[in-house]
Amino acid sequence: MPKVGMEKIRKAQLIDATLEAIEKYGFHGTTVSVISKKANVSTGIISHYFGDKAGLIDATMRYLLEQLKQELLNHLPDNHNHHARLHAIIDANFASVQRSKKAAVTWLVFWTQSMHSPELARLQKVNAKRLVSNLKYSLKHLIKPEKVEWSAQLIAAQIDGYWLRNALSQTDGNDSDHAVETCKTLIDNVIRDYGLAQKA
């Protein structure tokens, strides 16, 4: 009989091996055989837990999405300061785990493959909606109602744009620091220009 907790350990091993394989070989070079060798398990284990490569890729993306969610929870302030909460969303999206080379390459693969995979496309839509929803939740406490949707979409686009630029440039953390600062400045400017205390 398998040891208690072995499934969780095996799945984590396989997801980590998938991240490493995608970083080194890209999506098409990341085969079930390559992943199994990196994880030091048989290909049958992958089939048992995930069905096939698509299932494992799906699980890997869910893992990254969960990591992003946890980063946000870790960065959120204890109080109900919505301005600080918006800044925390920026910090979470540019946290080290999200901008590591393994994660960056996998995210890029994810976005590309989502155009061809209905399930990955669904996960991408969930991720995009979650970001906008989180932004809107705090913005509605700080700015005029008619500017909430527009501002959330603008900030989300800037987050995605800077993240993509940084991932493609493959430079050091200074670019990410600049991105964080710029995104937070945009938030501050939106609150300044469209704050509830401002006149139309």
Side-chain angles (χ1 to χ4, degrees), residues 136-149:
K136 287 169 62 176
Y137 174 76
S138 284
L139 285 169
K140 71 181 182 181
H141 290 86
L142 300 169
I143 66 174
K144 299 170 185 176
E146 65 271 21
K147 293 294 184 180
V148 170
E149 178 70 30

Side-chain angles (χ1 to χ4, degrees), residues 44-59:
I45 293 293
I46 294 177
S47 298
H48 175 69
Y49 288 134
F50 301 103
D52 54 17
K53 175 182 171 180
L56 183 48
I57 294 296
D58 178 88

Side-chain angles (χ1 to χ4, degrees), residues 72-125:
L72 176 57
L73 292 174
N74 291 338
H75 282 89
L76 285 177
D78 293 332
N79 55 33
H80 295 288
N81 183 330
H82 288 284
H83 195 158
R85 188 178 185 280
L86 289 167
H87 279 204
I89 292 172
I90 303 300
D91 290 330
N93 277 272
F94 290 95
S96 58
V97 67
Q98 295 299 326
R99 66 175 189 251
S100 69
K101 188 176 179 182
K102 282 195 299 186
V105 172
T106 307
W107 273 113
L108 292 173
V109 166
F110 170 49
W111 283 337
T112 301
Q113 291 302 123
S114 68
M115 294 187 288
H116 308 285
S117 165
E119 181 56 27
L120 291 182
R122 188 188 68 78
L123 288 177
Q124 167 56 19
K125 288 179 181 177

Side-chain angles (χ1 to χ4, degrees), residues 6-199:
M6 184 55 69
E7 178 177 351
K8 184 176 181 180
I9 294 171
R10 286 292 190 219
K11 285 184 175 180
Q13 283 180 316
L14 289 166
I15 287 172
D16 192 56
T18 302
L19 288 167
E20 291 181 4
I22 290 176
E23 177 189 0
K24 187 172 183 178
Y25 303 111
F27 180 77
H28 294 294
T30 299
T31 63
V32 168
S33 177
V34 167
I35 296 169
S36 65
K37 287 178 181 177
K38 279 193 168 292
N40 197 29
V41 300
S42 70
T43 56
I45 293 293
I46 294 177
S47 298
H48 175 69
Y49 288 134
F50 301 103
D52 54 17
K53 175 182 171 180
L56 183 48
I57 294 296
D58 178 88
T60 302
M61 291 320 307
R62 289 177 185 277
Y63 166 78
L64 288 178
L65 288 168
E66 181 61 25
Q67 290 296 304
L68 181 56
K69 178 181 176 181
Q70 290 303 316
E71 283 291 344
L72 176 57
L73 292 174
N74 291 338
H75 282 89
L76 285 177
D78 293 332
N79 55 33
H80 295 288
N81 183 330
H82 288 284
H83 195 158
R85 188 178 185 280
L86 289 167
H87 279 204
I89 292 172
I90 303 300
D91 290 330
N93 277 272
F94 290 95
S96 58
V97 67
Q98 295 299 326
R99 66 175 189 251
S100 69
K101 188 176 179 182
K102 282 195 299 186
V105 172
T106 307
W107 273 113
L108 292 173
V109 166
F110 170 49
W111 283 337
T112 301
Q113 291 302 123
S114 68
M115 294 187 288
H116 308 285
S117 165
E119 181 56 27
L120 291 182
R122 188 188 68 78
L123 288 177
Q124 167 56 19
K125 288 179 181 177
V126 168
N127 183 44
K129 287 182 178 179
R130 179 185 294 168
L131 174 57
V132 171
S133 177
N134 280 328
L135 292 167
K136 287 169 62 176
Y137 174 76
S138 284
L139 285 169
K140 71 181 182 181
H141 290 86
L142 300 169
I143 66 174
K144 299 170 185 176
E146 65 271 21
K147 293 294 184 180
V148 170
E149 178 70 30
W150 177 84
S151 298
Q153 295 290 349
L154 177 65
I155 296 165
Q158 187 170 49
I159 292 171
D160 288 343
Y162 266 112
W163 190 96
L164 180 60
R165 178 186 292 180
N166 290 348
L168 292 175
S169 67
Q170 298 184 7
T171 54
D172 57 30
N174 291 332
D175 283 349
S176 291
D177 293 340
H178 175 71
V180 168
E181 180 182 349
T182 305
C183 289
K184 288 182 178 180
T185 298
L186 174 60
I187 288 171
D188 296 345
N189 289 343
V190 164
I191 295 172
R192 180 197 65 200
D193 294 342
Y194 306 119
L196 292 173
Q198 299 295 321
K199 294 182 179 180

